Amino acid sequence: MSVFKIAAGSMLLGLTALAPTAEQQRTVAGAATVKSVAAATEFLSTLDARQRTKVTLPLNTATRTVWSNLPTGITMQVGATERNGLKLGDMTPSQQQAALRLVAAVLSRAGYQKVLNIVNADQRLEETTAPTRAASSRTRFGRAEYYLAVLGTPSATSQWMLQFGGHHLAINVTIAGRDSILTPTHTGAQPAAFTLDGETIRPLGRENDKAFALMNALDATQQKQALLGYDVRNLVLGPGEDGKVIQPEGIRASALTATERGMLVDLIGEWVTILDDQAAAAKMREVQANLGLTYFAWAGSTTNGKGAYFRVQGPTVLIEYAPQGPSNAATPDHIHTIYRDPTNDYGARLVTP
């Protein structure tokens, strides 16, 4: 199985004994943007004119919505038949590495590893399904089918956007000066677990385990509040559902104990911290500030290993986790998740493309 890996030491972060001042934090955030712009410039310099035309697009309300969890060969929820950008399979090896350095530049080390794990899971799916796939099928999985696009002009001062996605992955990062926004972003996995170099990889394993731990930390009265009275088989606000809202349901964080609230924050962090460390820290402070108005909802089994849908919904965060297939599946092997900010998808509070 051909895989992606992080070069040793390539994204290590230094530690300081003292917390940075507000001005130092702004400087670091600016440095993160400068790093992203440099990586984008390096990647674009490796492309020929035809490739550059595919990769670079204007940033507007039409182009930014072209993303999906679906594989190549299936029309997206927004009606497009192909993702924005150039796919890895149409790049040289050196161009692929430059593309991945750009993706790594806008994400945290853990977030980048999560992306690689999702891509490697999809490569395993391609290898296991290709031999039995009908010759007439246009559906394709695997790492060659992941696309990278740059919307707008990479800049340390004005807005632009990076998209990287394929089957079960849609990373949408809007960058505006010192600010980076990750929403909306889709992460998923199929298979949900696989073995690589003797290690079991679960791309979304922490999300699953932390949610079950929280649900089972609740007492019977709290669980009754959290449980939805109906089954949910897929994402409610997934790809193609921009701008839509749903009524909060479940148990409100103000009804949780301090320990349980900490577990909820930790769960939310699995999505927020995909983004670079400085931007993620700012977002987590926002999550904490609104925690009392945040809800946790559940549908399905409370036994870890069984299928269960959950949702976290607050003023500036919406997360859904939805195993696919029958709700009574012994071990769900196909996962969809979505991460949104109803007030700031595509950096709505920062930019008006």
Side-chain angles (χ1 to χ4, degrees), residues 5-15 32 35-36 39 97 99-116 273-277:
K5 294 184 178 179
I6 301 176
S10 64
M11 296 281 286
L12 292 180
L13 301 176
L15 300 177
K35 176 182 171 185
S36 299
Q97 291 305 311
L100 292 175
R101 284 194 292 272
L102 172 52
V103 176
V106 303
L107 304 180
S108 67
R109 181 178 176 86
Y112 181 57
Q113 186 61 61
K114 190 189 300 283
V115 164
L116 297 186
T273 59
I274 294 173
L275 195 57
D276 76 82
D277 295 329

Side-chain angles (χ1 to χ4, degrees), residues 29-30 33 156 160 173-181 275-276 279 282 344 350:
T33 300
W160 59 289
V173 179
T174 301
I175 300 171
R178 290 183 171 92
D179 297 297
S180 295
I181 308 301
L275 195 57
D276 76 82
N344 205 26
L350 306 173

Side-chain angles (χ1 to χ4, degrees), residues 207-282:
E207 291 86 335
N208 175 89
D209 294 349
K210 290 180 179 182
F212 273 98
L214 172 57
M215 187 60 179
N216 284 293
L218 305 182
D219 63 30
T221 299
Q222 291 173 312
Q223 283 197 353
K224 185 176 179 180
Q225 288 180 268
L227 285 168
L228 299 171
Y230 55 90
D231 284 338
V232 186
R233 298 298 180 86
N234 207 345
L235 304 173
V236 180
L237 296 179
E241 303 296 332
D242 290 351
K244 297 184 180 180
V245 296
I246 54 177
Q247 185 69 24
E249 297 178 273
I251 186 169
R252 193 163 160 172
S254 57
L256 303 178
T257 67
T259 298
E260 291 160 355
R261 288 195 297 273
M263 295 172 74
L264 177 60
V265 170
D266 192 36
L267 174 62
I268 294 169
E270 284 298 326
W271 283 267
V272 174
T273 59
I274 294 173
L275 195 57
D276 76 82
D277 295 329
Q278 194 69 26

Side-chain angles (χ1 to χ4, degrees), residues 19-225:
T21 65
E23 180 57 36
Q24 288 172 329
Q25 288 178 332
R26 286 192 292 271
T27 301
V28 171
T33 300
V34 170
K35 176 182 171 185
S36 299
V37 172
T41 301
E42 178 205 7
F43 168 64
L44 293 174
S45 72
T46 70
L47 307 178
D48 62 31
R50 180 194 63 81
Q51 291 174 315
R52 197 173 297 113
T53 299
K54 288 279 288 183
V55 168
T56 56
L57 298 166
L59 172 59
N60 55 51
T61 55
T63 56
R64 70 189 188 186
T65 62
V66 181
W67 56 271
S68 177
N69 62 304
L70 299 172
T72 296
I74 298 179
T75 300
M76 300 181 205
Q77 293 89 342
V78 295
T81 57
E82 185 180 23
R83 286 175 169 83
N84 291 332
L86 185 70
K87 66 181 182 180
L88 294 176
D90 287 339
M91 299 180 196
T92 66
S94 61
Q95 289 171 337
Q96 289 182 13
Q97 291 305 311
L100 292 175
R101 284 194 292 272
L102 172 52
V103 176
V106 303
L107 304 180
S108 67
R109 181 178 176 86
Y112 181 57
Q113 186 61 61
K114 190 189 300 283
V115 164
L116 297 186
N117 288 343
I118 291 169
V119 173
N120 286 335
D122 208 60
Q123 180 63 25
R124 177 63 57 84
L125 181 65
E126 170 67 12
E127 292 167 358
T128 56
T129 60
T132 58
R133 192 163 52 221
S136 60
S137 174
R138 297 177 60 248
T139 302
R140 294 292 183 275
F141 306 109
R143 68 173 187 175
E145 301 299 325
Y146 284 78
Y147 287 67
L148 188 145
V150 175
L151 281 57
T153 301
S155 167
T157 57
S158 59
Q159 70 265 26
W160 59 289
M161 183 175 178
L162 176 74
Q163 291 186 322
F164 181 69
H167 187 220
H168 287 143
L169 182 68
I171 296 292
N172 295 304
V173 179
T174 301
I175 300 171
R178 290 183 171 92
D179 297 297
S180 295
I181 308 301
L182 184 62
T183 55
T185 276
H186 183 288
T187 54
Q190 186 183 15
F194 61 98
T195 301
L196 178 63
D197 295 335
E199 179 184 0
T200 298
I201 306 295
R202 300 169 65 214
L204 302 177
R206 290 193 300 271
E207 291 86 335
N208 175 89
D209 294 349
K210 290 180 179 182
F212 273 98
L214 172 57
M215 187 60 179
N216 284 293
L218 305 182
D219 63 30
T221 299
Q222 291 173 312
Q223 283 197 353
K224 185 176 179 180
Q225 288 180 268

Side-chain angles (χ1 to χ4, degrees), residues 208 211-212 215 226-238 246-247 249 267 296-302 306-313 318-327 332 335-338:
N208 175 89
F212 273 98
M215 187 60 179
L227 285 168
L228 299 171
Y230 55 90
D231 284 338
V232 186
R233 298 298 180 86
N234 207 345
L235 304 173
V236 180
L237 296 179
I246 54 177
Q247 185 69 24
E249 297 178 273
L267 174 62
F296 177 65
W298 190 273
S301 175
T302 58
K306 302 289 187 180
Y309 165 95
F310 65 83
R311 181 191 309 151
V312 178
Q313 187 172 2
L318 184 287
I319 291 167
E320 294 182 86
Y321 178 104
Q324 303 301 286
S327 58
I335 309 296
H336 291 173
T337 89
I338 192 73

